[in-house]
Amino acid sequence: MREFSRPREAQLVLARVELNALVKQVIDLTRARWHDLPEQRGIVIDVKAELCPDLPAIQGAESEIRDALTNLVFNAVDAMPEGGTLTCRTGAVCRGAGGNGMAPTDTCIRVHDTGVGMDEENPPPVR
Ligand SMILES: Nc1ncnc2c1ncn2[C@@H]1O[C@H](COP(=O)(O)OP(=O)(O)OP(=O)(O)O)[C@@H](O)[C@H]1O
Ligand SMILES: [Mg+2]
């Protein structure tokens, strides 16, 4: 169904992606959902970007990462109907043996919210 309703580009274009810039862009692009709409209902969602300095650029499909990040932000907002804090954090990590002192090999983006949460025992309600 997903392939049918949201067809991917025939060929993914991998290019240099600056994740810190992408995070800032997604926060800007989603402002209506985390600021304007909640504000109309008297709700405040604080958004924080904790961006790792000197984060190495990655090779990736920028539009795919942007879409994924946007969905995580929407999910986080949906999970905070009474307001809260949404934090987007980037990091650089060393993978494999002897990580200390080695140049970072991986980057990560975390999207954290202070909302209702979920775990295996308490799956989300079916809407
Ligand atoms: N940050 C979160 N906190 C709590 N529950 C979450 C969070 N993210 C997702 N969920 C739960 O997982 C469900 C599935 O999320 P998913 O993004 O796949 O679909 P959706 O948000 O319901 O619909 P869509 O993304 O198509 O609008 C959500 O409906 C919600 O119940
Ligand atoms: Mg969703």
Side-chain angles (χ1 to χ4, degrees), residues 79-91:
M80 298 188 290
E82 309 301 329
T85 302
L86 164 63
T87 308
C88 297
R89 193 175 290 134
T90 58

Side-chain angles (χ1 to χ4, degrees), residues 4-63:
F4 177 74
S5 61
R6 301 179 184 171
R8 284 164 171 254
E9 290 169 35
Q11 208 166 9
L12 284 180
V13 182
L14 297 186
R16 185 184 159 86
V17 182
E18 302 272 4
L19 291 180
N20 284 346
L22 192 57
V23 165
K24 286 190 214 167
Q25 190 187 58
V26 167
I27 288 174
D28 274 352
L29 290 171
T30 56
R31 188 177 172 85
R33 277 287 286 273
W34 58 259
H35 181 270
D36 301 358
L37 290 173
E39 186 182 48
Q40 288 170 18
R41 297 189 295 125
I43 288 160
V44 176
I45 294 180
D46 282 326
V47 173
K48 292 182 182 164
E50 296 179 1
L51 304 178
C52 173
D54 304 323
L55 190 70
I58 62 164
Q59 287 290 316
E62 186 165 288
S63 62

